[in-house]
């Protein structure tokens, strides 16, 4: 990756952290609906106001920073299956990619102060959260 | 926002740039399906391998860096309508938010070397692209 292109403004700041029973990447399901558990999102008290308007039952998209990813990987065997041909990471959901942002569509189960109980979500305990967005049914979840 | 939390690894590097006929944020539609045009994604030659596996007709999610956003905003009037009550940005798709990452679900119209023609997409010309992901129908587009 050509990091001389970097823009000093394009730094992500965690707005929260995932607290999950998944303790290592090896044990994480590949996608949320494959038996992933619910987890807590501990949202930073500094941004708690930004949660106003979210309710239990809402579907949201959690954007995570997949901090254990390898950013130099451009091709992978999909789903780590060596029988599948090497494929560009932009055609896969591999966590290994130049900017390892994870997208997780989850349902809010409970809200307790600055903590959201959400699921199912497949990320490991300690993963930083960088954004939360509502699912927009009217425009096809874009 | 408490930027002392910053993680020096969580820096985004552009993997491409949007070339659009939308030249200013004021003229941008609020969401992709409201008469937004198609645009070119010029992908960095350094990561061209990562496109392998994408085809014309595929639906993808483009992650952009909304470089004109105000990162200190925590509440907004949805859709800039002053009649709507102030709402936390995590319950809206406002570009103004702590980490202004945009999600754009688009269709690939054409592939020409390192350029993808995609649409509809509502971002302004010159917006950096930070990731491209396939839509996963089997797991409900998460």
């Amino acid at each position: 990756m050509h990091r001389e292109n970097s823009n000093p403004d394009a730094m992500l700041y965690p707005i929260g952290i995932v607290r999950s029973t998944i303790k290592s990447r090896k044990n994480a399901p590949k996608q949320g609906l494959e038996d992933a558990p619910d987890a807590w999102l501990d949202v930073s008290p500094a941004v708690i106001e930004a949660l106003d308007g979210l309710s239990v039952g809402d579907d949201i998209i959690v954007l995570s920073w997949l901090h254990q990813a390898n950013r130099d990987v451009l091709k992978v065997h999909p789903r780590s299956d060596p029988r599948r041909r090497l494929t560009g990471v932009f055609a896969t959901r591999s966590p290994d990619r130049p900017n390892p942002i994870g997208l997780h569509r989850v349902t809010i189960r409970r809200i307790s102060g600055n903590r959201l109980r959400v699921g199912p979500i497949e990320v490991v305990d300690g993963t930083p959260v960088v954004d939360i967005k509502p699912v927009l049914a009217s425009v096809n979840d874009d």
Side-chain angles (χ1 to χ4, degrees), chain A residues 37-86:
Chain A
D38 290 352
W40 286 103
L41 302 190
D42 283 6
V43 175
S44 165
V47 299
I48 193 168
E49 271 188 83
L51 296 175
D52 184 29
L54 294 177
S55 305
V56 170
D58 287 354
D59 282 347
I60 56 173
I61 300 170
V62 173
L63 283 75
S64 66
W65 180 251
L66 301 167
H67 58 308
Q68 299 184 347
N70 180 344
R71 303 184 68 175
D72 295 318
V73 170
L74 296 179
K75 289 197 164 189
V76 293
H77 294 285
R79 302 179 65 83
S80 308
D81 179 346
R83 292 166 303 183
R84 296 182 66 172
R85 80 172 185 84
L86 273 174

Side-chain angles (χ1 to χ4, degrees), chain A residues 108-119:
Chain A
I108 300 177
R109 315 285 193 198
R110 204 167 131 194
I111 299 177
S112 175
N114 71 319
R115 309 186 81 203
L116 302 183
R117 183 79 176 164
V118 302

